[in-house]
């Protein structure tokens, strides 16, 4: 039941027929305000000017059929429900009336409060539902247009980001090339400085004072530090510029581990650290780049020794399923705070970045290790507890093939699985 007060219009030239509609409506329980007109012309003008909820139209108006009136009203934008009151025998025209836009029809002979009330309520309900659908459609259209606009904007932004990305890649490539060239140029004079300091320190002529020996030793050690830094920069820029190639060969991993450990043992001895090696490999032959593998091992071992004051450094090599090798370097050193773990593989990142820091280094070792392992189709992971020690683990295939290496260089990504679970 519609509770609102309905504004209704009767269009009929016959006063008696208008009265019977009025009576029937009054008898119904509907609340309404009724206006009456007796011609199609006045009806058209009134409906255009005032807002009604529904109109009852006589099918046979003087000079105008109900059908053409319905058409006229619909064409002029009148949307409210129009119910046609048909005379005897006019029902056949009902179909064409409905097609023209009438909402319903009632035979005048059957006018009753129930029939009018039912038709009126049904027509208004349908009208409201249609209006709601139209509004929802309109909202959908607007949302759609908004989405299309947003989409276009996003597309433009995406293109802009892509352009910037390309520019950045080019700048980065130029930077890496510049660094690679510069590092190469710097190494030549530096090697001369190191070489001549070594000759001077050999003291063949024995004519250096102890003060001069001290000075030359400092030149030598600073030169060597600088050379290590330049080599690291050269490595990293070569890898980033895609100009580093692995030289694959067959070698004995156990022998490489032993040689690296022997070289670093004096550093561990100086700090009275226990340097333990455990090779749990039945077959220690592998195919990889010997020098680069040695560089990775040296990085991990020298870090472990550098950042450990008491206790031990434990290196273990073992075989994993699917022809993989796992090397772990575990220490009882200073450890790494959890919030630093994700940064230690970034180039130049050091946990202690103060000028007064205790440990020397360039902050490039782990970045290079990570990049090299990536080229080797391997990965590095770390687990550490601040103040307790760290464990670095690397995995790589036992046999790295040239094809696999090219493929991995192409899909080059700098971040791999880093944290042990
Ligand atoms: P560098 O050793 O030259 O500073 P690395 O890239 O090898 O540079 O290491 C980056 C940083 O990670 C180090 O400065 C140090 O803070 C931290 N780190 C690396 N290895 C260890 C370790 N075994 N124990 C504690 N901290 C470590």
């Amino acid at each position: 039941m519609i509770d609102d007060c309905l504004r209704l219009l009767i269009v009929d030239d016959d006063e008696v027929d208008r009265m019977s509609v009025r009576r029937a409506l009054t008898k119904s329980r509907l609340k309404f305000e009724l206006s009456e007109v007796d011609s199609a012309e006045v009806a058209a003008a009134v409906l255009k000017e005032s807002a009604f909820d529904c109109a009852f139209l006589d099918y046979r108006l003087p000079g105008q059929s109900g059908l053409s009136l319905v058409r006229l009203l619909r064409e002029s934008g009148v949307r409210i429900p129009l119910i046609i009151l048909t005379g005897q025998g006019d029902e056949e025209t009902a179909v064409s009336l409905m097609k023209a836009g009438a909402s319903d029809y009632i035979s005048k002979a059957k006018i009753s409060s129930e029939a009018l009330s039912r038709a009126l309520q049904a027509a208004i309900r349908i009208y409201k539902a249609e209006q709601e659908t139209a509004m929802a459609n309109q909202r959908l259209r607007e949302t759609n247009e908004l989405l299309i606009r947003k989409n276009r904007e996003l597309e433009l932004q995406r293109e802009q980001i892509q352009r910037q990305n390309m520019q950045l890649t080019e700048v980065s490539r130029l930077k890496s090339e510049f660094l690679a060239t510069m590092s190469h140029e710097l190494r030549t004079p530096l090697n001369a400085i190191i070489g001549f300091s070594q000759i001077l320190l050999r003291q063949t002529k024995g004519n250096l004072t102890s003060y001069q020996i001290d000075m030359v030793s400092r030149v030598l050690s600073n030169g060597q530090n600088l050379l290590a830094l330049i080599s690291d920069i050269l490595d990293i820029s070569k890898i980033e510029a895609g100009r580093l190639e692995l030289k694959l060969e067959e070698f004995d991993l156990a022998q490489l581990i032993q040689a690296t450990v022997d070289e670093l043992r004096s550093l561990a001895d100086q700090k009275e650290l226990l340097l333990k090696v455990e090779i749990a490999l039945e077959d220690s032959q592998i195919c990889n780049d010997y020098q680069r593998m040695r560089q990775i091992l040296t990085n991990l071992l020298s870090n472990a020794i550098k950042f450990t004051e008491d206790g031990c450094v434990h290196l273990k090599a073992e075989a994993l399923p699917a022809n993989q090798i796992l090397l772990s370097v575990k220490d009882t050193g200073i450890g790494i705070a959890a919030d630093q773990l994700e940064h230690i593989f970034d180039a130049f990142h050091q946990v202690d970045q103060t000028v007064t820091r205790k440990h020397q280094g360039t902050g490039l070792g782990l970045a290079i290790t990570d990049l090299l392992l990536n080229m080797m189709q391997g990965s590095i992971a770390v687990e550490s507890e601040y103040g307790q020690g760290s464990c670095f683990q690397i995995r790589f295939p036992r046999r790295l093939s040239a094809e696999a290496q090219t493929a991995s260089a192409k899909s080059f990504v700098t971040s791999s699985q880093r944290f042990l679970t």
Side-chain angles (χ1 to χ4, degrees), residues 371-407:
L371 291 171
L372 284 176
L373 277 161
N374 226 307
M375 291 184 70
M376 294 172 176
Q377 294 208 310
S379 61
I380 181 163
V382 59
E383 195 176 58
S384 187
E385 204 176 321
Y386 185 63
Q388 300 297 312
S390 312
C391 177
F392 284 83
Q393 283 194 338
I394 61 169
R395 294 155 205 256
F396 52 90
R398 179 185 283 278
R399 311 195 68 79
L400 184 62
S401 68
E403 302 83 60
Q405 186 216 326
T406 320

Side-chain angles (χ1 to χ4, degrees), residues 303-304 306-307 331 334-336 344 349-351 361-367 390 392:
N303 272 350
K306 184 163 68 174
F307 294 107
D331 64 56
I334 60 171
I336 302 162
I344 57 170
H349 186 91
Q350 295 174 306
V351 174
T362 60
L364 286 172
L366 285 179
S390 312
F392 284 83

Side-chain angles (χ1 to χ4, degrees), residues 248-416:
L248 299 187
E249 59 183 309
E250 292 271 340
F251 60 90
D252 185 348
L253 181 63
Q255 180 266 319
L256 166 69
I257 292 174
Q258 210 47 64
T260 316
V261 168
D262 290 346
E263 196 180 82
L264 296 174
R265 189 171 291 283
S266 64
L267 292 179
D269 290 347
Q270 277 166 29
K271 298 173 93 175
E272 295 178 4
L273 299 176
L274 174 68
L275 184 50
K276 208 168 122 191
V277 182
E278 187 182 346
I279 297 179
L281 290 171
E282 271 181 29
D283 172 11
S284 55
Q285 275 304 113
I286 68 165
C287 177
N288 209 310
D289 183 320
Y290 183 89
Q291 286 308 336
R292 295 298 174 186
M293 190 54 82
R294 184 169 185 145
Q295 183 177 359
I296 290 173
L297 264 183
T298 308
N299 275 340
L300 295 180
L301 272 175
S302 58
N303 272 350
I305 297 170
K306 184 163 68 174
F307 294 107
T308 305
E309 295 311 321
D310 298 298
C312 70
V313 172
H314 183 180
L315 187 153
K316 184 172 180 189
E318 56 199 299
L320 290 180
N323 260 328
Q324 298 269 315
I325 303 274
L326 174 71
L327 288 185
S328 29
V329 178
K330 199 169 173 189
D331 64 56
T332 54
I334 60 171
I336 302 162
D339 62 335
Q340 286 292 325
L341 275 181
E342 60 180 311
H343 301 296
I344 57 170
F345 298 93
D346 298 343
F348 298 108
H349 186 91
Q350 295 174 306
V351 174
D352 180 0
Q353 306 213 321
T354 59
V355 262
T356 52
R357 68 171 183 268
K358 198 170 154 203
H359 308 286
Q360 283 213 328
T362 60
L364 286 172
L366 285 179
I368 294 173
T369 301
D370 182 39
L371 291 171
L372 284 176
L373 277 161
N374 226 307
M375 291 184 70
M376 294 172 176
Q377 294 208 310
S379 61
I380 181 163
V382 59
E383 195 176 58
S384 187
E385 204 176 321
Y386 185 63
Q388 300 297 312
S390 312
C391 177
F392 284 83
Q393 283 194 338
I394 61 169
R395 294 155 205 256
F396 52 90
R398 179 185 283 278
R399 311 195 68 79
L400 184 62
S401 68
E403 302 83 60
Q405 186 216 326
T406 320
S408 92
K410 276 188 188 148
S411 64
F412 179 71
V413 277
T414 50
S415 67
S416 44

